[in-house]
Amino acid sequence: MLSFFKSKPLLKDLIPENFVDIHSHLLPGIDDGSKSMEDTENFMVQMSAMGIKHFITTPHIFTNVWDNTEAGITEKLQVTKADLSRKNCFTSFNAGTEYMIDSFFMKRLETEKLLTLKANYVLVEMSYLNPPMQLFDILFEIQLAGYKPILAHPERYLFYANKLKEYERLKKSGCLFQLNLLSTVNYYGTGITKTADYLLKNEMIDFVGTDIHHQNHIDAFSRNVCLKNITELEKAISKNLFFLP
């Protein structure tokens, strides 16, 4: 009886020491994440205190919204690392990119070397309104070009909420899944948490990320996890060890 009423753990208490975060928006002034170097320093000190010591931050590349370039991101990374070095809030700090799969993405894939998380692992996202019409063809082309696509926060695409079998189809196509940790604490709504629980239960989650943009995201790590499948969440968190430098 007592175990039934046992409270769920705080999300921050599930983060292991030396954790590798593979999805965040910590480069200042480059997208909808950190607005300043002061913000970046503040966020990273707090994240480090939770056990996050390795960062692969992932600014958006989204044509006509966030017109970042691989070269510009790399330059901003070096400047940011130099400014952060005195804070001692990270063990490693690198940058990939969160690529929007839009009408310009295929041209980028054909003409540019993509900025990856590690080796050939590339983080991609879709519009929250609807999936690209040729999504599976695009995923095939990504792999044909030598990359392994990781779909950011699959649980947040509401158009799949009543089409859960589509997740199986995506997995079979070779797409890896990265869960947003805040999806486990009802931050985005109970429906998204329910989908996250489904994906964890069915062992579809390959990696996790914080997707931190601002202070409210960091504060939400002090919430209780709202999942049934906490053991599966812990297993997914441990898979991020793959990205240790």
Side-chain angles (χ1 to χ4, degrees), residues 60-93:
H60 293 288
I61 288 185
F62 184 176
T63 306
N64 296 326
V65 179
W66 304 110
D67 286 316
N68 290 310
T69 64
E70 289 82 359
I73 290 169
T74 300
E75 181 179 353
K76 175 67 80 169
L77 171 68
Q78 298 309 317
V79 172
T80 303
K81 284 176 71 172
D83 284 345
L84 286 169
S85 60
R86 67 185 183 277
K87 286 291 183 176
N88 194 31
C89 58
F90 64 91
T91 301
S92 66
F93 186 55

Side-chain angles (χ1 to χ4, degrees), residues 54 102 127 241:
H54 300 273
D102 57 16
S127 165
L241 286 171

Side-chain angles (χ1 to χ4, degrees), residues 8 184 193 197 200-201 225-232:
K8 297 288 179 70
T184 70
T193 300
D197 219 4
L200 287 163
K201 178 183 178 181
V225 173
C226 303
L227 301 174
K228 295 178 181 178
N229 297 285
I230 294 176
T231 298
E232 286 72 17

Side-chain angles (χ1 to χ4, degrees), residues 35-46:
K35 303 304 181 188
S36 66
M37 181 58 66
E38 183 180 17
D39 280 349
T40 297
E41 291 180 355
N42 184 30
F43 297 161
M44 290 183 66
V45 166
Q46 294 178 78

Side-chain angles (χ1 to χ4, degrees), residues 199-214:
L199 294 173
L200 287 163
K201 178 183 178 181
N202 288 278
E203 300 182 339
M204 293 187 187
I205 298 300
D206 299 283
F207 308 110
V208 302
T210 66
D211 200 6
I212 280 174
H213 288 66
H214 46 68

